[in-house]
Amino acid sequence: SEHACAGFYQNKKTFFSFFFILVCDPADVISTVEFNQTGEFLATGDKGGRVVIFQREPQSHRHFIGEYNVYSTFQSHEPEFDYLKSLEIEERINKIRWLPLHNPAHFLLATNDKTIKLWKVSERDKRAEGYNLRDEEGRLKDLSTVTTLQVPVLRPMDLLVEASPRRVFANAHAYHINSISVNSDCETYLSADDLRINLWNLNITDRSFNIVDLKPENMEDLSEVITVAEFHPHHCHLLAFSSSTGTTRLCDMRASALCDQHAKLFEEAADPSHRSFFSEIVSSVSDVKFSHSGRYLLTRDYLTVKVWDLNMENKPVETYQVHDYLRTKLCSLYESDCIFDKFECAWNGTDSVIMTGAYNNYFRMFDRASLRDVTLEASREVCKRRAVLQPRRVCVGKKQKETDVSVDSLDFRKKILHTAWHPKENIIAIAASNNLYIFQDRLTPNGHHNTPEIQSAPPKWQTQPNPPTY
Amino acid sequence: MAGAEGDDSLYPIAVLIDELRNEDVQLRLNSIKKLSTIALALGVERTRTELLPFLTDTIYDEDEVLLALAEQLGSFTVLVGGPEFVHCLLPPLESLATVEETVVRDKAVESLQKISQEHSPVDLEVHFVPLVKRLASGDWFTSRTSACGLFSVCYPRVSSTVKAEIRQHFRTLCSDDTPMVRRAASSKLGEFAKVLELDYVKSDIIPLFTALASDEQDSVRLLAVEAGVSIATLLPQEDLEDLVMPTLRQAAEDKSWRVRYMVADKFSELQKAVGPEITKNDLVPAFQNLLKDCEAEVRTAAANKVKVFCESLPEDSRETIIMTHILPCVKELVSDTNQHVKSALASVIMGLSTILGKDNTVEHLLPLFLVQLKDEYPEVRLNIISNLDCVNEVIGIRQLSQSLLPAIVELAEDAKWRVRLAIIEYMPLLAGQLGVEFFDEKLNSLCMAWLIDHVYAIREAATCNLMKLVEKFGAEWAQNTIVPKVLGMANDSNYLHRMTTLFCINALSEVCGQEITTKHMLPVVLKMSTDQVANVRFNVARCLQKIGPVLDSSALQADVKPVLEKLATDQDMDVKYFALEAISVITLINGHTVYDSM
């Protein structure tokens, strides 16, 4: 269905229902969320360097798609110290990217500021039994009883999920890594820091190629930094990277070994009427996502999300205001450093709906066809199991309804920076501080939104029935 | 702690078997490497029924263990009971061929290729071919990529029906959804083409080649280039133009630089494969384009091939083609903006002189050499200097010497010590080519200046260089030119320079011979034994130990021994240590000398 989500915007009354909360250890603020290619797995990385993988249980009820349960938890990165520069290297996981499926095991790349690691997560359900010189408890046997050789045999055991580090890609970044992206050739991936983008072969750890370098001869001439970089989903030679100046560049790796010369530059002429001290800060692009179709680019800056057609560089085809009411508050947001928050954005599986985070644990969705939008809240108070999410409204002046929230009462410490949308279905994962919320479209286990039955009743986003322990 | 009552011979094997599942990877690895010992002890029957099933399921292990296992199984045929039972090895290798680690898969495929030859034609169709088909239609791309490497080994030995199936499987893999499988197919296409009947090469391989060479992913297209070269060698000359050349021409002009790079990199092979006529008509213009490519990486690859390409041109038109088509491009490359391009060219350009002969070299190449000798990048100049011997044969080095000298001097004084080091290494070669007179006049002072370089590696290389020069020019030359200068440094106020004197003597004593060493060097060394810096003193001890064998026994007894004995009572621990070491070594040598002369 081309506009799978259109249904629930057509109905004005309720929108999403929702579903379940995963509560985490307070020390572990989630720093990245990512579904794998099939959506069966969801990985989160946190400030403590931990990666937690959730697996979706097989469908059991008629209306509930299987819920997500913890599949594996492992420590990916440890705090380190760079003795040459006297700098601490935090263990915080900045990004996680899944590799396309190789074999029954799953692979993902996780990075902190400096080091990228390739992890293999695999299952084992057999173990070897039968020693020649010891019994099963490990005690030495009486050697006189050992008269024949015994070959170990494999016996079934309880399923064991193991995570093992396969490769460590280190020492290639002088600045903090902000992005990693796996190429559609499934052989290479890129890593980007503030000034450079490197290209790696997934099998080679001791060498990478620098493909973009923005570092000026003299650091005083520095005018922009790279904020995000991503490969095109189908064309292995295309990559996009955005910068703090609000531009997004598309590079063609076929043209040249060094991609310093971009093929396209997506930039909207600044509106002189909005020109202010904060103009440049708020135009900095905090996230870039190619649409699944590969045709569009989604960019998030502080106040808006924009959709760009790869064929049109001079302006976005769509611009959505995320929280325009903050335009008058930029001064205090600057003082509290909130203005530098890096919100991510996401496409739904059919590229028809866009999602991105905001403050006060709110997140926003925009339907591209109907141009309707909705604000929802992810918080433990409202997200009861199987509860239906009620839309929120932020008002600038006087409250029109009881449920309206005034701009002045928004909590800027509660922010939703990291969000992810299941690659095919209407399931979303929202990280709010140390909580992970997974919401699913209650009535549409298979994404058939436009059946007449569903249109008559508003689709519900619903909390998952049993919150698993984290 | 071998079992006293148990069977002693079982014990070591029992340990090996138990360690197959030890916690420690290294122990598991050791055990796997001795798998043949285990199999031998178990006998063929138990190896087949117990050991192999166990190994088939151990694919959880570390890569290095799996790699060793994959390798071992390739030579396991005898241990499972000979060719009759070789198919028992297929299950473990099949599971190894599906793991995610490329090196392990490749090794498993290699072993499978090896044991395929040990299958009887019947077994091949009953056991091996079904395995290849299973891999080729596996769910995971890992198994499908492994299958690509196995078609060519079974194809020649199976019936025509099975052959048709194999061709069909290969075709399917060439249009696989995942680029990894298409890349594997693309890289094995040439190998597979070689075992196919010529008709099928034309009817099956050519369309596959054309498709892969126009794949949407450049990583697939670039691998097709190599396949194209292999296919070209298989086809009769008259078919090349229609079947291969359009695709190869397209590859040479591909939008992606990586594909063009591959063409440039494989150019010599390509030239050989298509023969002289196509080379003249097609490859020459293609090569010109590659030399003028907009991407420096491509120009670098092409520049590297200039000499080989020219050498392999058909003799009748070689000179004309070079002079009218290649040389103009080469001239442009000499002033390329990219240093790697110029550097690649500099490493081969001298080779053109032997092909073009004296007159052309003097008229056309010499000016280019001179430009490159003045290039701003040291690597370019070094590459020219390191290949001087080719020119020397054709026109003699004198033609170049006027430009050579400033180039050498500049490199000799380069701010980067690695550059200085590189030029020092070419000094003996240059000295040989330029002759002693020119050397004394122009280069000698440089060689001496390196001795007081502030980087130790340079001083060390300079010392070694002096030795090589003496080997070339002889002891008399040494005595007249370098020895006085070296010995003069013994009075330098900088102790590092004084030590350099000692290091030089270490290196020179043997090539200079007994007379010079005893008469000129020894007194200086002995005098330095009272140096106030301990580092100098202990290096005196080491130096005396080193030159001891060159001296005669009277000098050792009369001059060296007392000095070493005195140093052996030095206050400094290190001086004492080296002095005592020198005394013991020299006594030994001296003893032998006395003994020998009796």
Side-chain angles (χ1 to χ4, degrees):
Chain A
S1 52
E2 194 50 41
H3 290 289
C5 288
F8 43 75
Y9 298 101
Q10 283 160 10
N11 194 306
K12 284 184 181 172
K13 274 190 173 169
T14 33
F15 297 90
F16 299 92
S17 64
F18 250 154
F19 99 137
F20 92 96
I21 317 165
L22 287 158
V23 185
C24 316
D25 171 345
D28 298 326
V29 172
I30 295 172
S31 51
T32 182
V33 184
E34 184 81 5
F35 279 101
N36 79 337
Q37 278 79 0
T38 60
E40 191 199 348
F41 292 91
L42 171 70
T44 63
D46 65 31
K47 241 184 138 207
R50 259 193 336 173
V51 170
V52 181
I53 297 173
F54 300 91
Q55 184 186 30
R56 190 177 184 190
E57 298 302 317
Q59 186 168 347
S60 48
H61 311 275
R62 196 168 152 255
H63 287 305
F64 291 104
I65 311 165
E67 60 196 81
Y68 284 78
N69 285 325
V70 176
Y71 177 68
S72 172
T73 302
F74 58 93
Q75 189 72 33
S76 171
H77 287 69
E78 302 279 356
E80 283 177 273
F81 192 78
D82 180 343
Y83 293 95
L84 275 180
K85 294 185 180 151
S86 284
L87 277 179
E88 284 194 47
I89 302 168
E90 283 179 55
E91 65 273 33
R92 181 190 129 105
I93 308 293
N94 290 343
K95 280 277 153 61
I96 289 176
R97 286 290 178 271
W98 293 84
L99 263 56
L101 296 172
H102 284 78
N103 59 15
H106 297 273
F107 294 83
L108 57 83
L109 289 168
T111 186
N112 68 352
D113 286 340
K114 297 286 175 185
T115 306
I116 304 147
K117 292 184 182 177
L118 175 65
W119 287 90
K120 175 187 180 180
V121 182
S122 55
E123 294 179 359
R124 176 192 287 223
D125 57 2
K126 282 181 192 157
R127 91 195 159 91
E129 278 178 14
Y131 278 111
N132 283 294
L133 303 175
R134 294 164 188 278
D135 59 24
E136 282 311 309
E137 276 74 50
R139 287 185 298 261
L140 277 177
K141 287 182 189 169
D142 176 3
L143 291 178
S144 60
T145 63
V146 180
T147 51
T148 54
L149 291 171
Q150 189 184 358
V151 178
V153 280
L154 291 157
R155 304 240 183 266
M157 62 166 189
D158 287 346
L159 187 71
L160 177 73
V161 180
E162 300 175 306
S164 49
R166 304 298 284 190
R167 308 223 196 287
V168 176
F169 305 89
N171 305 324
H173 285 278
Y175 305 94
H176 289 180
I177 299 173
N178 54 44
S179 314
I180 44 178
S181 175
V182 181
N183 193 334
S184 61
D185 68 11
C186 302
E187 186 179 35
T188 55
Y189 75 92
L190 66 76
S191 59
D193 66 26
D194 297 339
L195 294 177
R196 299 194 179 100
I197 301 178
N198 292 333
L199 183 67
W200 300 84
N201 185 306
L202 283 161
N203 289 318
I204 300 170
T205 56
D206 61 355
R207 209 171 338 149
S208 71
F209 296 98
N210 178 245
I211 50 173
V212 174
D213 189 351
L214 294 190
K215 190 176 180 207
E217 295 245 326
N218 183 350
M219 281 299 266
E220 282 169 19
D221 300 335
L222 186 67
S223 59
E224 63 176 333
V225 295
I226 298 168
T227 50
V228 207
E230 195 185 49
F231 270 122
H232 190 279
H234 317 305
H235 297 307
C236 67
H237 54 270
L238 288 181
L239 69 99
F241 73 91
S242 62
S243 92
S244 55
T245 57
T247 60
T248 302
R249 275 168 266 199
L250 189 72
C251 296
D252 186 342
M253 298 204 298
R254 292 175 304 182
S256 163
L258 272 175
C259 297
D260 288 348
Q261 302 290 319
H262 54 263
K264 293 191 176 184
L265 177 74
F266 301 93
E267 183 176 26
E268 191 173 21
D271 179 356
S273 66
H274 278 123
R275 189 94 208 126
S276 78
F277 171 74
F278 304 109
S279 300
E280 194 173 319
I281 301 174
V282 299
S283 68
S284 175
V285 178
S286 57
D287 198 16
V288 171
K289 293 274 162 65
F290 276 102
S291 63
H292 295 82
S293 67
R295 167 86 186 263
Y296 301 101
L297 267 175
L298 180 63
T299 63
R300 170 72 207 258
D301 56 40
Y302 191 61
L303 295 174
T304 67
V305 268
K306 292 171 179 162
V307 177
W308 303 80
D309 187 326
L310 287 193
N311 301 318
M312 185 161 80
E313 296 168 64
N314 62 348
K315 61 172 191 278
V317 285
E318 294 152 35
T319 300
Y320 302 98
Q321 300 298 334
V322 178
H323 36 210
D324 203 43
Y325 43 78
L326 296 184
R327 207 172 275 284
T328 55
K329 305 246 168 237
L330 293 178
C331 208
S332 62
L333 290 166
Y334 179 77
E335 277 162 17
S336 61
D337 273 355
C338 283
I339 202 167
F340 300 106
D341 284 336
K342 288 174 175 274
F343 291 99
E344 290 175 4
C345 52
W347 296 90
N348 73 336
T350 53
D351 299 335
S352 57
V353 183
I354 291 158
M355 170 173 65
T356 190
Y359 291 106
N360 208 39
N361 277 351
Y362 288 175
F363 61 98
R364 306 263 289 141
M365 285 188 179
F366 304 94
D367 181 82
R368 297 179 59 204
S370 66
L371 297 182
R372 284 171 185 280
D373 64 83
V374 66
T375 304
L376 297 168
E377 182 178 356
S379 72
R380 295 170 74 172
E381 293 75 40
V382 299
C383 300
K384 300 287 183 288
R385 262 190 288 142
R386 298 198 183 191
V388 174
L389 282 189
Q390 296 302 317
R392 303 288 167 185
R393 230 176 68 89
V394 178
C395 57
V396 181
K398 238 184 158 185
K399 280 191 184 184
Q400 292 169 359
K401 271 196 247 163
E402 178 96 23
T403 52
D404 285 357
V405 176
S406 133
V407 179
D408 297 318
S409 60
L410 291 176
D411 186 344
F412 290 101
R413 288 165 307 171
K414 292 180 177 169
K415 43 191 127 186
I416 291 177
L417 301 177
H418 312 287
T419 57
W421 202 309
H422 186 288
K424 296 184 186 76
E425 296 172 28
N426 282 327
I427 296 177
I428 54 176
I430 308 279
S433 181
N434 48 6
N435 294 325
L436 177 69
Y437 300 86
I438 299 177
F439 303 119
Q440 63 189 44
D441 190 347
R442 187 183 61 170
L443 296 181
T444 58
N446 301 310
H448 301 307
H449 293 268
N450 29 10
T451 61
E453 184 200 358
I454 288 166
Q455 278 180 352
S456 59
K460 309 279 188 192
W461 285 81
Q462 185 139 18
T463 49
Q464 238 182 252
N466 301 307
T469 46
Y470 184 44
Chain B
M1 50 173 263
E5 287 107 309
D7 186 347
D8 276 4
S9 65
L10 284 185
Y11 182 76
I13 308 291
V15 171
L16 278 181
I17 294 178
D18 284 358
E19 285 185 349
L20 279 176
R21 33 186 291 225
N22 196 293
E23 296 276 297
D24 184 343
V25 183
Q26 200 51 50
L27 292 176
R28 292 205 301 276
L29 191 58
N30 289 343
S31 229
I32 284 284
K33 284 184 174 162
K34 295 199 182 104
L35 207 55
S36 52
T37 313
I38 296 174
L40 208 58
L42 289 171
V44 294
E45 176 84 39
R46 294 191 66 194
T47 299
R48 290 199 300 266
T49 55
E50 294 177 44
L51 185 61
L52 290 179
F54 171 69
L55 293 174
T56 305
D57 283 333
T58 42
I59 50 162
Y60 300 115
D61 215 325
E62 301 282 331
D63 304 334
E64 46 192 326
V65 177
L66 298 182
L67 182 66
L69 177 59
E71 189 172 6
Q72 292 282 312
L73 292 175
S75 41
F76 232 60
T77 311
V78 182
L79 297 162
V80 293
E84 203 185 325
F85 295 100
V86 64
H87 61 267
C88 298
L89 296 172
L90 298 179
L93 283 170
E94 182 175 355
S95 64
L96 288 168
T98 63
V99 302
E100 69 280 358
E101 195 56 52
T102 319
V103 283
V104 177
R105 282 202 314 268
D106 288 350
K107 189 55 85 180
V109 168
E110 202 182 308
S111 288
L112 281 168
Q113 288 173 337
K114 210 165 145 194
I115 64 166
S116 73
Q117 303 308 319
E118 286 157 349
H119 283 68
S120 67
V122 176
D123 279 351
L124 201 66
E125 287 197 19
V126 176
H127 300 289
F128 197 87
V129 172
L131 166 131
V132 178
K133 288 183 192 166
R134 270 197 307 280
L135 287 174
S137 45
D139 283 343
W140 309 108
F141 83 81
T142 46
S143 82
R144 302 199 299 276
T145 53
S146 291
C148 293
L150 295 172
F151 295 113
S152 61
V153 290
C154 41
Y155 189 85
R157 300 178 58 216
V158 293
S159 66
S160 54
T161 337
V162 180
K163 278 184 175 176
E165 288 171 22
I166 290 179
R167 288 196 304 273
Q168 180 53 44
H169 273 290
F170 196 86
R171 259 199 301 277
T172 312
L173 292 179
C174 284
S175 52
D176 196 277
D177 282 345
T178 63
M180 288 79 86
V181 178
R182 296 203 303 277
R183 273 200 296 276
S186 202
S187 67
K188 301 291 179 191
L189 185 65
E191 196 180 294
F192 188 53
K194 278 187 193 147
V195 299
L196 251 60
E197 297 79 358
L198 186 58
D199 283 345
Y200 289 123
V201 172
K202 290 187 203 172
S203 65
D204 282 36
I205 297 290
I206 296 294
L208 294 177
F209 166 60
T210 315
L212 290 168
S214 46
D215 194 280
E216 56 168 8
Q217 295 240 339
D218 52 0
S219 61
V220 178
R221 295 203 300 276
L222 67 88
L223 289 168
V225 172
E226 209 173 348
V229 175
S230 310
I231 295 167
T233 57
L234 301 172
L235 293 173
Q237 192 70 30
E238 64 271 19
D239 289 328
L240 285 177
E241 183 51 47
D242 290 341
L243 299 180
V244 188
M245 284 318 290
T247 311
L248 285 176
R249 249 178 245 131
Q250 178 194 318
E253 289 167 6
D254 196 282
K255 202 173 171 192
S256 167
W257 69 268
R258 294 203 291 165
V259 179
R260 300 195 304 273
Y261 173 91
M262 204 64 174
V263 175
D265 196 49
K266 300 280 166 231
F267 219 80
S268 316
E269 291 88 336
L270 183 59
Q271 190 182 4
K272 209 178 282 170
V274 298
E277 274 314 302
I278 293 182
T279 297
K280 266 192 264 182
N281 302 331
D282 271 293
L283 295 196
V284 171
F287 194 62
Q288 283 176 293
N289 286 337
L290 292 171
L291 288 173
K292 290 186 220 155
D293 199 278
C294 57
E295 171 56 44
E297 298 279 346
V298 179
R299 294 199 303 278
T300 307
N304 267 319
K305 302 286 170 188
V306 165
K307 184 193 159 198
V308 194
F309 179 75
C310 292
E311 255 173 3
S312 326
L313 285 169
E315 213 158 324
D316 55 344
S317 50
R318 185 188 295 158
E319 193 174 320
T320 337
I321 292 176
I322 298 177
M323 295 307 290
T324 53
H325 300 292
I326 306 300
L327 205 57
C329 301
V330 170
K331 276 182 187 160
E332 278 176 45
L333 289 187
V334 162
S335 46
D336 199 279
T337 48
N338 186 289
Q339 60 160 316
H340 302 291
V341 176
K342 289 190 286 190
S343 173
L345 182 68
S347 64
V348 298
I349 189 173
M350 312 292 268
L352 291 181
S353 51
T354 31
I355 306 171
L356 288 176
K358 188 170 176 180
D359 294 341
N360 280 328
T361 302
V362 173
E363 197 184 335
H364 299 285
L365 292 177
L366 198 56
L368 303 182
F369 300 159
L370 297 180
V371 173
Q372 292 221 295
L373 268 179
K374 293 187 192 113
D375 198 276
E376 58 180 315
Y377 297 102
E379 203 185 324
V380 178
R381 285 173 267 152
L382 271 175
N383 280 348
I384 290 287
I385 290 171
S386 59
N387 286 293
L388 281 175
D389 43 341
C390 327
V391 192
N392 200 16
E393 285 162 25
V394 182
I395 57 168
I397 211 158
R398 285 278 158 181
Q399 296 266 14
L400 268 176
S401 55
Q402 283 316 307
S403 308
L404 206 47
L405 195 64
I408 294 172
V409 172
E410 214 175 300
L411 288 169
E413 290 163 356
D414 196 282
K416 295 192 189 76
W417 69 268
R418 284 175 202 280
V419 174
R420 300 201 294 278
L421 187 63
I423 188 73
I424 294 176
E425 276 157 13
Y426 292 119
M427 267 301 148
L429 181 79
L430 281 171
Q433 290 174 352
L434 292 165
V436 66
E437 218 170 287
F438 184 88
F439 184 86
D440 279 347
E441 198 180 316
K442 316 278 187 189
L443 299 180
N444 197 1
S445 53
L446 281 181
C447 292
M448 300 315 290
W450 283 319
L451 288 174
I452 52 168
D453 197 284
H454 58 273
V455 175
Y456 176 74
I458 299 296
R459 298 200 296 275
E460 189 188 27
T463 313
C464 181
N465 173 45
L466 286 188
M467 184 183 79
K468 288 182 186 152
L469 289 174
V470 176
E471 278 171 356
K472 268 215 162 80
F473 295 150
E476 196 182 330
W477 172 83
Q479 193 185 340
N480 295 332
T481 52
I482 58 169
V483 172
K485 289 182 191 167
V486 166
L487 297 182
M489 283 165 60
N491 301 318
D492 200 292
S493 59
N494 184 334
Y495 84 98
L496 292 173
H497 298 171
R498 298 202 293 279
M499 291 213 300
T500 306
T501 300
L502 293 172
F503 297 144
C504 286
I505 291 172
N506 287 345
L508 292 175
S509 63
E510 202 181 324
V511 279
C512 285
Q514 197 181 64
E515 200 194 325
I516 298 178
T517 308
T518 318
K519 246 192 192 160
H520 301 281
M521 297 178 179
L522 185 60
V524 176
V525 180
L526 296 174
K527 198 174 148 220
M528 289 169 84
S529 68
T530 55
D531 198 290
Q532 55 184 354
V533 178
N535 296 41
V536 176
R537 294 201 301 281
F538 81 63
N539 272 300
V540 165
R542 294 174 74 181
C543 179
L544 288 172
Q545 175 185 335
K546 176 92 192 172
I547 67 174
V550 185
L551 302 170
D552 65 17
S553 57
S554 65
L556 283 174
Q557 284 297 332
D559 304 323
V560 176
K561 218 176 147 201
V563 169
L564 282 177
E565 276 163 1
K566 185 160 172 273
L567 288 175
T569 60
D570 200 284
Q571 285 183 325
D572 187 275
M573 224 170 60
D574 296 319
V575 177
K576 225 189 255 184
Y577 172 82
F578 285 110
L580 287 171
E581 189 182 79
I583 289 171
S584 69
V585 172
I586 285 176
T587 317
L588 204 66
I589 299 165
N590 203 19
H592 280 295
T593 320
V594 175
Y595 179 81
D596 288 347
S597 61
M598 275 169 29

